[in-house]
Amino acid sequence: MSASTTLRVGMFSQQVRRRTVVVCALLLVATVLLAGAGLALGDYTLAPGDVVAALRGEGSARDHLVVNAIRLPRVALGIVVGVCLAVAGAIVQTTARNALASPDLLGVSAGAGAGAVAAIVLSGTNAAGAAALEVIGTPLAALLGGVVAAAIVGLLLRVTGTTGLSPLLAGVGVSALFGGLTSWMLTAASIDDAARANAWLAGSLGGRGWSEVAAVTVAAVAALAPLIVLSSRLPALELGPSIATSLGYRVPQSVGLLLLIAVVLTSVPVAAAGPIGFIALVAPHLARLACRSPRPPLVASGIAGAALLLASDLVARFALAPLLLPTGAVTAVIGAPFLIWLLVRSRKDPTQ
């Protein structure tokens, strides 16, 4: 029996391993169950039938308010942000050919955070542009900060190389640089703006609405559309620049476009939900291990990121109830031991 099968959607066809299809299906089921739990559980708990009725526009006005106006934007944002961060992590790990590489560890999230904090602080000093900066300015400022951070890391890695701990050390330096810039802006900001920015820097899905969901979704669609074409270059790029060049690929252009997509998929979610670390690192590894793939599979990584972020948000809501934890704190608790495990594993096996 063949281990692969061919998926066809219209004129598009792609050969995929059957194990990957099964893993994606299981991850989708887990994501749906976690999303259902996010909609049903809380101070006002609903039965599954009531949740479905509210989603269909039926049931009581109270159920409709709780599900569609309060909990559904949070769950939707968790799914979109999780997919974006995980796919960005899979792209960076594959193009850098380093298991320790991810946008948050490379300082891209810190750069995006500094850009978003700048927009928040400026919105407090310019009343006329405050509304525009809230909806449009913050994502663009975060994207600019992420691009600048990625450019600095790229220059550093051209000198140090992308193997071993070099990406991690470059990321630590860039994160410290933008972390210091963020602290300076918070010190110079008004008390109200500093409090607003500090709450955002904790990284959370709470208190967000459909405007944040729409901004991240638009960025995700804009970035994932070209990725459908560029993803065919990832297996060749993983083999190294010389082999990819011999196969006819323009390596610098391909790597540049893929990393730009990764920066967009990292920066805009940061603007919407704050810095949520380690999803970009952990989810691709979980997908790769589950699929037994030599590199992180993009689709499985994205679904794993959504499931992981939804699970982390449920822990943030209920672990110390009635106290609500920032979702970013939970992902850090999960991701830090995983990073230590990766460091130990890379020391034992430098090829990983």
Side-chain angles (χ1 to χ4, degrees), residues 84-85 88-89 92 103-104 108-109 112 261-271 280:
C84 288
L85 294 178
V92 174
D104 46 350
V108 176
S109 296
I261 290 173
V263 170
V264 173
L265 291 175
T266 303
S267 300
V268 179
V270 167

Side-chain angles (χ1 to χ4, degrees), residues 5 32 48 54 71-72 76 80 82 96 122-123 129 132 178 186 190 196 244 247 253 258 283 301 305 339-341:
T5 186
V32 171
R71 295 177 184 170
L72 186 56
V80 181
L122 290 175
S123 69
F178 283 98
L186 292 177
S190 67
R196 209 154 49 105
L247 293 174
Q253 292 87 341
L258 287 166
S301 297
L339 176 60
I340 294 172
W341 175 74

